[in-house]
Amino acid sequence: MSVYTQGVIALMGVNILMALSVYAIVMADQVSLGNAGFMAIGAYTSAYLSVKLGMPIFPALLIGALAASFIGLLIGIPLLRLEGLYFVMGTFGFGEVVRTFFMIFEPTGGAYGFRGPVGATMPMIYGWVLVLIILFWLLSRSRLGRSLDALRDDAEVASSIGLNVTLLKLGVFWLGSFTAGIAGGLYAHYMFYIESGNFHILVSAMAILCVILGGMYTFWGALLGGVIFSILPEVLRFMGGWRLSVYGSVLVLMMIFRPSGIISRHMVRNAGEWVGGIFRKASS
Amino acid sequence: MLEIAHISKHFGGLKALEEITFHVKEKQIYGLIGPNGAGKTTLFNLITGFLPATVGSIQFLGNELTGLKAHKIAKLGIARTFQNIRLFGTMTVKENILVAQNIRARSGVTSLVQLFSAKERGFEEEADDLLRRMGLWEKRKEQSLSLAYGEQRRLEIARALALEPRLLLLDEPAAGMNEAETEDLLDRISEIRNTGKTVFLIEHDMNVVMGICDYISVLNFGELIAQGTPDEIQASEAVIEAYLGREEE
Ligand SMILES: Nc1ncnc2c1ncn2[C@@H]1O[C@H](COP(=O)(O)OP(=O)(O)OP(=O)(O)O)[C@@H](O)[C@H]1O
Ligand SMILES: [Mg+2]
């Protein structure tokens, strides 16, 4: 495998994590346009810890993600009072604040960026992807996951059956910002160099597009969206500047013909039964 | 068990409820009737924490409900249905029941790794029983919104029962049902009471509830105009006037 291909595949892992981080918050019926901000916090925190303090990569990543999710909780408390578009705008504002902060914050290089974090390998990235997929899978089958479905279907009714809607929203916001923090840490330690521009609003927007395209009602959708939006630019490379128009067109077509995304819950359920059937046959 | 005292609810200048006082006794079927716009649903919204009261107090088993969040009120043992059916649309029939058990089950982060415990199996069986009792078991795997109208109503009641509430609030449970369906539903409601629960139901057609209610209150334009047993209500001048007045509109 060429170094270039390796790079594409490694970054695909990061994109999948970012898509999952958006999906986490979508589970509570909210769209966050600020996840690149959490990614930046994870990236800069872990990079600083490993480069300046010589911390091994694993604890550095973890602390970076915990820092991101702690900030996530702090801003989540006021932000989650907002609904719909107001929430989107609030998270957008947050992302931009974080990006500009790292652009001027000298200890992590300011506008020059930050150099030096190393050690994230492709297996390590996909190890994290696997861990998070297992987590989302368990969640999707659990009572907690069903509470989130209820909240998403009708928050008022969810509260009438005793569910603490605020707590649920805060919980997934924590999970989303943690996941984005991990993605940021891995990105930094894979790229060796980060600058504030890496955490542009477009990164958040791309992650949202992954979820919309892949499917909004199952984490498999985020996974597929992450894969598609990582490979598509390579496949369409021959088109040069026209690439972005193709993206746009794909999205418009999607919204018209399949507004809930490629993978639906129904498909997941059927696939699950199919796989279950194969196992039963194999064991009998 | 439920004590409503001097409750008023104003929407701007509109007095949806004015100085309402009455109480619901344990193991009763209590009926709240009144013409369109009388304030019946508003009262349910106040009891369940969907709306704040303008003034007044609502106590349930000694707990003050005004000011509590909806989920806290549910945990105290009050479950409700909605006048315009509100099921969880992305879920199957059975999932609608299972999710309503969450306040009694382990449903926090630990539920991620606790899928096949004995307790979980107990909840599954309980959900199946409940579905059988409400005549929905055959449909358990169907999408909730694909059910027929009457079945959706029954599912909503089943979902409320899955909370194991002490008090069940039903907002026009028979609305839109034909006579046979209504009969069947009223039987089921009587059965629910016989399991030791208290039922507080809203109805706007007063003939529907006369047969099963132990006690009835009548609302009109936000005011309580009569209270009593079904016989007393049927004989009440004020009630007849309120209902006849409505016909003239
Ligand atoms: N959230 C609200 N904001 C403003 N006005 C409201 C609100 N909810 C109810 N109202 C008004 O309060 C009055 C009582 O409404 P409510 O829904 O309680 O009546 P109801 O007795 O349930 O009638 P129906 O038999 O039609 O269901 C109506 O005039 C209604 O328009
Ligand atoms: Mg009503």
Side-chain angles (χ1 to χ4, degrees):
Chain A
M1 206 188 303
S2 74
V3 176
Y4 179 78
T5 315
Q6 274 185 31
V8 170
I9 294 177
L11 289 183
M12 178 159 89
V14 173
N15 292 340
I16 290 171
L17 290 174
M18 284 306 287
L20 286 173
S21 83
V22 167
Y23 176 73
I25 301 170
V26 164
M27 286 193 294
D29 206 23
Q30 303 265 36
V31 176
S32 162
L33 198 45
N35 283 22
F38 297 122
M39 185 188 184
I41 296 170
Y44 276 100
T45 308
S46 62
Y48 188 88
L49 290 173
S50 58
V51 174
K52 299 272 180 175
L53 306 181
M55 192 182 273
I57 182 167
F58 183 74
L61 278 178
L62 210 56
I63 294 174
L66 287 173
S69 57
F70 177 70
I71 303 285
L73 282 186
L74 284 188
I75 70 152
I77 291 167
L79 274 183
L80 287 166
R81 291 169 182 276
L82 307 177
E83 298 212 343
L85 207 50
Y86 300 100
F87 179 81
V88 177
M89 293 320 289
T91 49
F92 164 69
F94 164 76
E96 287 302 278
V97 167
V98 173
R99 187 175 64 83
T100 18
F101 171 84
F102 284 115
M103 198 161 72
I104 48 188
F105 189 62
E106 291 296 336
T108 50
Y112 296 103
F114 192 75
R115 199 170 290 278
V118 288
T121 57
M122 197 155 69
M124 183 191 287
I125 292 174
Y126 280 91
W128 276 103
V129 170
L130 189 67
V131 166
L132 278 150
I133 283 181
I134 290 172
L135 188 71
F136 276 92
W137 178 70
L138 288 173
L139 186 59
S140 73
R141 307 164 48 95
S142 71
R143 283 194 174 269
L144 182 55
R146 212 170 277 130
S147 290
L148 290 165
D149 292 344
L151 156 61
R152 204 169 166 190
D153 279 353
D154 190 329
E156 238 181 9
V157 177
S159 71
S160 85
I161 61 165
L163 305 179
N164 186 341
V165 168
T166 317
L167 198 63
L168 287 170
K169 283 186 178 177
L170 210 56
V172 293
F173 204 64
W174 183 89
L175 177 61
S177 47
F178 180 86
T179 309
I182 291 286
L186 289 169
Y187 178 80
H189 288 79
Y190 187 81
M191 297 302 282
F192 180 66
Y193 168 76
I194 49 175
E195 56 178 341
S196 60
N198 298 141
F199 310 103
H200 197 270
I201 175 82
L202 280 175
V203 174
S204 303
M206 265 334 261
I208 294 175
L209 292 187
C210 292
V211 174
I212 294 177
L213 181 84
M216 311 251 286
Y217 282 93
T218 157
F219 69 93
W220 295 110
L223 184 65
L224 179 69
V227 171
I228 291 178
F229 274 112
S230 306
I231 292 175
L232 206 59
E234 306 310 319
V235 176
L236 300 178
R237 197 158 283 282
F238 70 93
M239 301 184 94
W242 290 99
R243 260 189 328 187
L244 284 176
S245 335
V246 174
Y247 273 20
S249 316
V250 166
L251 260 148
V252 172
L253 290 176
M254 260 324 270
M255 289 299 95
I256 294 172
F257 293 109
R258 208 173 160 84
S260 61
I262 298 173
I263 303 184
S264 68
R265 238 180 237 177
H266 190 67
M267 285 165 69
V268 173
R269 200 172 286 157
N270 284 347
E273 276 166 19
W274 184 68
V275 172
I278 290 177
F279 271 104
R280 269 192 298 279
K281 250 184 222 152
S283 64
S284 67
Chain B
M1 104 188 292
L2 182 73
E3 270 132 55
I4 295 168
H6 309 291
I7 277 288
S8 294
K9 177 68 189 176
H10 300 169
F11 296 109
L14 177 78
K15 293 178 174 170
L17 290 171
E18 190 64 13
E19 273 285 322
I20 304 296
T21 299
F22 66 88
H23 65 273
V24 177
K25 287 204 190 113
E26 197 145 6
K27 292 177 191 159
Q28 270 184 335
I29 297 183
Y30 196 103
L32 181 65
I33 63 174
N36 284 115
K40 305 179 297 292
T41 300
T42 303
L43 185 62
F44 270 19
N45 286 339
L46 298 185
I47 296 169
T48 53
F50 276 43
L51 289 172
T54 308
V55 284
S57 139
I58 302 172
Q59 297 218 334
F60 176 66
L61 300 170
N63 301 290
E64 180 62 44
L65 300 185
T66 52
L68 283 188
K69 292 216 168 146
H71 70 94
K72 291 260 166 70
I73 293 171
K75 281 189 187 125
L76 287 175
I78 300 182
R80 72 173 289 182
T81 65
F82 299 86
Q83 186 169 353
N84 46 336
I85 306 171
R86 288 166 80 172
L87 294 170
F88 296 124
T90 62
M91 298 186 201
T92 63
V93 168
K94 188 165 172 184
E95 284 168 345
N96 267 272
I97 304 294
L98 292 171
V99 72
Q101 298 169 331
N102 275 4
I103 45 167
R104 297 184 289 125
R106 264 177 185 249
S107 59
V109 178
T110 53
S111 72
L112 265 63
V113 286
Q114 230 226 346
L115 291 169
F116 306 110
S117 70
K119 216 170 158 207
E120 264 312 304
R121 259 198 306 279
F123 276 119
E124 287 261 345
E125 276 165 26
E126 196 186 286
D128 285 333
D129 280 346
L130 190 53
L131 287 170
R132 263 182 224 112
R133 258 168 60 205
M134 296 305 275
L136 292 167
W137 191 74
E138 278 76 25
K139 311 249 166 167
R140 66 194 178 284
K141 288 184 177 167
E142 287 184 25
Q143 254 350 84
S144 60
L145 297 183
S146 72
L147 295 184
Y149 182 82
E151 292 169 334
Q152 291 197 19
R153 283 242 171 249
R154 293 209 301 273
L155 176 55
E156 216 194 14
I157 296 173
R159 180 181 66 190
L161 286 173
L163 272 76
E164 291 269 300
R166 312 256 319 247
L167 174 65
L168 179 64
L169 307 182
L170 304 174
D171 195 344
E172 303 206 15
M177 288 187 169
N178 63 32
E179 216 162 296
E181 284 176 322
T182 304
E183 278 303 311
D184 170 72
L185 183 78
L186 295 178
D187 285 346
R188 289 179 203 274
I189 293 174
S190 297
E191 270 168 40
I192 291 167
R193 186 258 309 274
N194 294 343
T195 64
K197 296 193 193 310
T198 309
V199 179
F200 183 8
L201 69 88
I202 288 178
E203 187 42 70
H204 107 193
D205 179 355
M206 68 182 208
N207 299 321
V208 169
V209 290
M210 285 303 162
I212 62 160
C213 287
D214 301 303
Y215 208 79
I216 292 175
S217 280
V218 186
L219 269 182
N220 194 24
F221 292 118
E223 289 184 41
L224 212 54
I225 57 167
Q227 290 188 59
T229 60
D231 291 339
E232 288 164 0
I233 293 297
Q234 254 162 338
S236 158
E237 290 284 328
V239 176
I240 293 163
E241 213 167 276
Y243 271 85
L244 290 181
R246 195 178 125 254
E247 307 285 281
E248 280 166 17
E249 282 171 8

